[in-house]
């Protein structure tokens, strides 16, 4: 599975962005998908995950109520809608695919990673 993330950019605090991650391969619908982020000098951290069916989602406390993860299996794409952005959301955002389908919060569960897309929120 190859993942291509896009949609990052520069936005003012309080604004919105939608990230997209498109996967190659016919087995996309079998994978749980996740978004992680890494700010300068910090470890990569979990943001959100969604099971293969889209029926279950999970969010880090820091983004709950502001971010929404969704997927379109027909388009092999997972999305991260980010609203009410804050300066602390500034990071490189990575999408990842988890073959076991648990929608884990752990990085080690995800076998495939996209290249990352930069999100910068100005205050």
């Amino acid at each position: 599975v190859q993942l291509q993330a896009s949609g990052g950019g520069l936005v003012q605090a309080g604004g919105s962005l939608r990230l997209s991650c498109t996967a190659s391969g016919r087995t996309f619908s079998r994978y749980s998908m996740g978004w992680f982020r890494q700010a300068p000098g910090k470890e990569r951290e979990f943001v959100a995950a969604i099971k293969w069916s889209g029926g279950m989602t999970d969010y880090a406390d820091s983004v709950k109520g502001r971010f929404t993860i969704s997927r379109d299996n027909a388009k092999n794409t997972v999305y991260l809608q980010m609203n009410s952005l804050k300066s602390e959301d500034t990071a490189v955002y990575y999408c990842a695919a988890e073959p076991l389908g648990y929608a884990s919060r752990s990085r080690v569960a995800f076998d495939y990673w996209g290249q990352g897309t930069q999100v910068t929120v100005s205050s």
Side-chain angles (χ1 to χ4, degrees):
V1 175
Q2 291 186 326
L3 304 175
Q4 180 72 38
S6 62
L10 174 64
V11 64
Q12 288 188 335
S16 299
L17 281 175
R18 188 175 81 156
L19 306 183
S20 300
C21 175
T22 300
S24 63
R26 293 176 290 179
T27 58
F28 171 79
S29 62
R30 301 179 187 177
Y31 292 86
S32 289
M33 299 296 296
W35 286 96
F36 291 76
R37 66 187 181 187
Q38 187 166 17
K42 295 187 177 181
E43 291 192 356
R44 193 170 298 187
E45 64 175 4
F46 169 79
V47 175
I50 185 168
K51 280 199 169 182
W52 68 272
S53 65
M56 194 220 83
T57 57
D58 187 26
Y59 298 92
D61 288 344
S62 58
V63 307
K64 198 172 295 183
R66 300 187 297 121
F67 290 11
T68 303
I69 189 171
S70 61
R71 67 189 295 164
D72 185 338
N73 287 340
K75 296 182 178 180
N76 279 11
T77 301
V78 62
Y79 304 97
L80 185 69
Q81 177 66 44
M82 306 185 295
N83 298 328
S84 302
L85 282 161
K86 306 175 181 179
S87 57
E88 51 263 44
D89 295 319
T90 295
V92 177
Y93 283 71
Y94 299 89
C95 61
E98 179 200 352
L100 294 180
Y102 295 132
S104 172
R105 292 187 171 203
S106 173
R107 288 177 293 170
V108 298
F110 290 82
D111 285 356
Y112 305 99
W113 292 82
Q115 85 288 1
T117 184
Q118 176 71 47
V119 171
T120 303
V121 183
S122 63
S123 56

